[in-house]
Amino acid sequence: MRWKTRKVRGNLRFGEAPRKRLNLDWVPGALKWLFQIAIVCFIAFVAVWYFGQRISAVGDSMNPVLENGDVVLVNRIVYDATSPKRGDIVVFRPNGNENLHAYIKRIIGLPGETVRIEDDVIYIDGEPLDESEYEVTGHTDAGLASEEITLAGDEFFVLGDNRENSDDSRIADIGNVKRSDIEGKAWFVVSPWERFGFLS
């Protein structure tokens, strides 16, 4: 090792080791790497939180599109950008009761509309509803909708696709579903494998 010398009073010389410089060239690369990891973790969190909530269908009220025990993913962000539409399959808790299991039903009536069911026919604002885009089964018992129901500006009328075996807006315990009680749109079946795919 080479030693530097310096003069300190008179002719005395003392050895001095060269000073080592701290190499910080790696810091920008490490910070960039940590930033990229943080971005990936954030995207993963958003994807799971908003698109990956899993719930299980309870009962057969949504037959044939869903069966008891089917596991579906819920899109929690879609209704932040758009309003729920007729025909959407939504997840909600009746009256916002967090102690109840989540219900999965199809939107039939929209805010401000009137709904009435007579002789197995659903009338929206006095006009028969066309349900040809999805399959329903069973007789549509009128329940509360035997008399015309007017939906408030934040309310939806929902039914199960299996009309003879569904607790939905036709019964007093559920009734009209408020927008604030809708948790999201059921959009994808992840289990069982034979029904794996998008919901319609």
Side-chain angles (χ1 to χ4, degrees):
M1 177 182 291
R2 298 183 58 189
W3 294 84
K4 291 183 179 180
T5 59
R6 63 189 175 116
K7 187 174 181 181
V8 181
R9 291 185 185 178
N11 295 324
L12 295 178
R13 294 176 182 271
F14 299 91
E16 183 181 77
R19 294 182 180 177
K20 293 183 180 179
R21 292 184 177 180
L22 187 60
N23 185 355
L24 300 178
D25 293 341
W26 59 272
V27 172
L31 290 176
K32 181 179 178 182
W33 183 70
L34 288 173
F35 178 75
Q36 290 173 341
I37 289 178
I39 291 295
V40 169
C41 290
F42 175 75
I43 292 173
F45 171 79
V46 169
V48 170
W49 177 255
Y50 287 106
F51 301 102
Q53 179 190 4
R54 297 158 50 108
I55 68 164
S56 296
V58 177
D60 291 316
S61 69
M62 284 303 293
N63 260 343
V65 69
L66 288 174
E67 294 185 6
N68 184 45
D70 285 1
V71 178
V72 301
L73 297 182
V74 181
N75 185 335
R76 297 164 60 101
I77 199 173
V78 63
Y79 295 140
D80 290 339
T82 63
S83 297
K85 298 177 178 60
R86 193 184 334 275
D88 285 359
I89 300 174
V90 294
V91 176
F92 67 96
R93 296 182 193 271
N95 305 308
N97 190 338
E98 294 294 328
N99 295 321
L100 297 177
H101 69 83
Y103 281 62
I104 305 174
K105 307 294 177 185
R106 192 182 295 275
I107 290 179
I108 299 299
L110 301 174
E113 294 181 336
T114 61
V115 180
R116 181 172 58 88
I117 301 174
E118 183 179 350
D119 296 331
D120 207 28
V121 178
I122 301 170
Y123 293 90
I124 303 294
D125 292 338
E127 297 294 325
L129 176 65
D130 178 11
E131 295 189 282
S132 59
E133 293 184 8
Y134 45 87
E135 183 180 354
V136 299
T137 59
H139 177 74
T140 307
D141 178 59
L144 294 176
S146 61
E147 296 183 7
E148 191 172 78
I149 295 173
T150 300
L151 299 170
D154 64 341
E155 291 180 338
F156 297 82
F157 189 89
V158 300
L159 293 176
D161 288 353
N162 183 1
R163 299 289 162 80
E164 290 183 332
N165 187 25
S166 176
D167 291 339
D168 45 42
S169 290
R170 294 173 292 176
I171 68 172
D173 286 347
I174 296 178
N176 302 333
V177 177
K178 293 186 179 299
R179 170 64 186 88
S180 58
D181 295 337
I182 296 177
E183 297 182 356
K185 179 179 180 180
W187 67 285
F188 199 88
V189 180
V190 294
S191 174
W193 177 254
E194 55 266 25
R195 277 188 298 285
F196 185 86
F198 292 98
L199 286 169
S200 59

